[in-house]
Amino acid sequence: MKLLILQQRPSRAGAQTSLARLLESLRPLAVESLVLCSESGWLSDWCAGQKLACEILPAPKARSLRGRLFANDRYVKHVVNILRHLDFSPDLLVANDTEESTHTAALAQRLKKNWVAILRNSGLSRDEFFKYRADGANLVFAVGAELEHSAQSWGGAAKVRSYGESLLASEFFAPKPKPTAFPSRILVAGSEQPSKGWADFFVALTQVEQAHTSFPVLQLALTGTESEGLLKNYRGRAQFRFLGRVNHFAACAREYDLAIHPSRNESFGLAPFEILAAGVPVLCSSTGEMSARILPPELLFPPNDVEALAQRLQNLYRNWSQLDFHLPDIQQRLRERYSARIFAQQFLATLRSVVS
């Protein structure tokens, strides 16, 4: 089977890393893929390293006036020319995220091919679903139970399938030895977007610092950029370093003995799974797929619950030397439930039903 996949933004984020895992797992199943990006970046570099086909073609903003008047149609014509030049005739087109659906729909119509859309944004609205033409896909995949339920109400249950995020066997590392004392260097995963919950963490940290004068001065590394006003209400002692986008996330995580993922809302929430696979414990909100089935109670707190987050952080500080996070057991559960190899087989079987 030949797949044409649109993923216009190539920077490393959830949609791009998820696609990379899928592409690597599909290759042994006799699937030939061509990825289209709007510019060079992490995903195009990854494809080059894996010797997978990736073409760079700047795409207009699909919903802009310029795009709707002429630029979208011109983009489609350029893609058709690229396919002709490469002698690549796809069996199916894939929009790797909602925003790619508009161009994917237009390409599918021009090429007279079926197409599928993958919905990934936990905050996706009904208006956006229709605005980007995701409703026109022959099949819709949704990440996470909540988004799947919403998509079924918008587009009909018959055409919506669950999209299971997964991990590669190569992403698992032996758990790091736990230090004897509570670590002062901590990784804070996510981004500066409000939905990622950094503001909740800052409030919780302030509470813990005020309650314990002996609490260490934390050196916090945050996987994003400092936005205006992000730290304006923090009056504690911690030191902050903003890492921006991290291309080698597992290696970065293994530089720390503890990570925190305080997200308020996720469709799946890949980052904490990647951190655990890297062998590092993560204090995480129970949003997306993260639940008590994965983490012990001392590493889990309800999203948007600052008091619970402060309590868990305080408990880790007080009882660090006695705690056993059972990371080998956690990793084994992740291997069993989120295998990229098994998911790719299931995904391909579903795609074949769309083609036939």
Side-chain angles (χ1 to χ4, degrees):
M1 179 180 287
K2 293 185 176 182
L3 301 178
L4 176 63
I5 304 170
L6 273 70
Q7 174 53 62
Q8 291 171 353
R9 289 178 295 178
S11 54
R12 190 190 190 282
Q16 293 81 356
T17 54
S18 173
L19 176 59
R21 293 184 182 98
L22 180 62
L23 291 172
E24 184 167 335
S25 302
L26 285 174
R27 183 158 50 180
L29 304 177
V31 174
E32 185 179 352
S33 301
L34 172 62
V35 179
L36 281 180
C37 294
S38 282
E39 58 185 355
S40 297
W42 177 86
L43 181 59
S44 59
D45 292 343
W46 180 88
C47 287
Q50 298 293 319
K51 294 182 169 52
L52 291 169
C54 180
E55 291 291 321
I56 309 299
L57 179 64
K61 292 185 177 180
R63 294 296 304 166
S64 67
L65 178 61
R66 175 176 174 271
R68 285 179 289 166
L69 286 176
F70 65 91
N72 288 342
D73 187 60
R74 186 169 64 184
Y75 173 78
V76 168
K77 290 178 181 177
H78 285 324
V79 174
V80 171
N81 288 335
I82 288 174
L83 297 178
R84 187 179 298 118
H85 175 74
L86 296 174
D87 193 24
F88 186 89
S89 179
D91 299 300
L92 190 70
L93 280 66
V94 179
N96 193 50
D97 211 341
T98 310
E99 295 178 357
E100 273 72 41
S101 292
T102 304
H103 290 140
T104 308
L107 271 168
Q109 183 177 9
R110 180 69 60 89
L111 297 170
K112 296 182 173 55
K113 301 289 184 179
N114 288 346
W115 69 286
V116 302
I118 303 175
L119 311 181
R120 300 179 179 276
N121 183 1
S122 60
L124 183 69
S125 68
R126 183 183 185 277
D127 288 345
E128 290 171 324
F129 178 75
F130 286 96
K131 181 175 72 173
Y132 287 105
R133 297 180 61 184
D135 61 302
N138 298 92
L139 198 64
V140 173
F141 289 91
V143 175
E146 184 176 342
L147 188 53
E148 181 183 0
H149 177 74
S150 297
Q152 287 174 344
S153 68
W154 303 331
K159 68 183 300 183
V160 178
R161 299 288 184 275
S162 173
Y163 186 92
E165 297 287 13
S166 57
L167 294 166
L168 296 165
S170 60
E171 293 182 274
F172 285 86
F173 297 84
K176 292 188 65 179
K178 187 166 78 71
T180 55
F182 180 77
S184 60
R185 295 177 66 256
I186 295 176
L187 179 69
V188 183
S191 74
E192 63 279 5
Q193 297 175 6
S195 64
K196 296 303 181 179
W198 282 2
D200 297 339
F201 170 63
F202 296 152
V203 174
L205 178 59
T206 300
Q207 292 180 7
V208 174
E209 288 179 321
Q210 290 175 349
H212 298 276
T213 55
S214 61
F215 192 77
V217 177
L218 296 184
Q219 299 177 46
L220 300 172
L222 298 91
T223 60
T225 57
E226 183 177 2
S227 59
E228 185 177 355
L230 185 63
L231 297 172
K232 65 178 181 181
N233 294 322
Y234 177 71
R235 296 292 183 268
R237 304 185 301 274
Q239 300 172 1
F240 296 86
R241 183 164 64 98
F242 292 88
L243 305 177
R245 291 192 179 275
V246 177
N247 288 339
H248 303 286
F249 189 58
C252 174
R254 286 185 66 82
E255 294 179 10
Y256 302 87
D257 295 304
L258 177 66
I260 298 176
H261 189 260
S263 182
R264 296 171 176 173
N265 189 25
E266 297 283 348
S267 55
F268 185 93
L270 268 174
F273 288 83
E274 293 174 326
I275 294 168
L276 291 168
V280 178
V282 56
L283 176 59
C284 185
S285 61
S286 56
T287 184
E289 283 290 306
M290 189 57 71
S291 69
R293 295 179 305 149
I294 305 297
L295 285 179
E298 58 264 25
L299 289 176
L300 203 62
F301 61 92
N304 299 286
D305 192 335
V306 172
E307 297 300 325
L309 172 53
Q311 185 181 50
R312 297 294 188 279
L313 188 59
Q314 184 172 260
N315 180 64
L316 289 178
Y317 166 64
R318 283 176 169 175
N319 305 302
W320 181 263
S321 61
Q322 290 82 38
L323 292 172
D324 184 349
F325 301 125
H326 303 284
L327 282 179
D329 295 335
I330 292 174
Q331 289 183 326
Q332 183 58 31
R333 289 196 290 273
L334 297 186
R335 288 188 181 96
E336 293 171 354
R337 296 177 183 176
Y338 303 104
S339 164
R341 178 181 59 83
I342 294 174
F343 171 67
Q345 294 170 348
Q346 298 169 343
F347 183 74
L348 180 58
T350 305
L351 293 188
R352 282 175 173 152
S353 70
V354 180
V355 172
S356 60

